[in-house]
Amino acid sequence: MEWTAYIWIIATFALFYFLLIRPQQKREKKDRQMRNSLEVGDNIVTIGGIVGKILTIKDDEITIETSADRTKLAFKKWCVQSKVESGETKE
């Protein structure tokens, strides 16, 4: 094999790294930081689309209140998709 073939293989791996792997790792790190910064009283949206207010946090589990009926649900932390700021709630 010529040197150019090696260069193309290395360039292809570099391209995959910078276009696919690295951005995914950055997103995962950002999501992990958001989930670790959750506090009691925060409003959240789960990956299933359930909106609620955090009541308790234990290790890797959270309990949320979802409605005026005071329905309580328990989820794993990894189920939290996003933290809702106070101005973004029910419009």
Side-chain angles (χ1 to χ4, degrees):
M1 263 174 120
E2 293 182 32
W3 286 102
T4 56
Y6 289 120
I7 292 172
W8 280 110
I9 292 171
I10 292 170
T12 303
F13 282 116
L15 184 68
F16 274 109
Y17 177 76
F18 285 109
L19 293 179
L20 299 174
I21 298 169
R22 190 165 181 247
Q24 178 65 28
Q25 289 175 341
K26 287 176 115 178
R27 273 191 301 273
E28 288 174 1
K29 182 179 179 182
K30 182 180 167 191
D31 289 343
R32 192 170 36 253
Q33 287 175 341
M34 180 270 302
R35 289 181 182 119
N36 289 333
S37 71
L38 292 174
E39 297 176 352
V40 174
D42 288 343
N43 291 316
I44 60 162
V45 177
T46 67
I47 57 175
I50 298 172
V51 179
K53 182 177 180 180
I54 296 177
L55 297 177
T56 62
I57 300 175
K58 296 178 190 173
D59 297 326
D60 67 339
E61 190 173 286
I62 61 171
T63 304
I64 65 171
E65 184 176 81
T66 59
S67 66
D69 295 335
R70 305 195 77 139
T71 304
K72 296 177 184 171
L73 300 170
F75 293 99
K76 295 292 184 183
K77 268 190 179 178
W78 61 264
C79 289
V80 178
Q81 179 179 9
S82 63
K83 188 174 172 180
V84 180
E85 299 303 323
S86 58
E88 298 177 24
T89 56
K90 304 174 188 174
E91 294 179 14

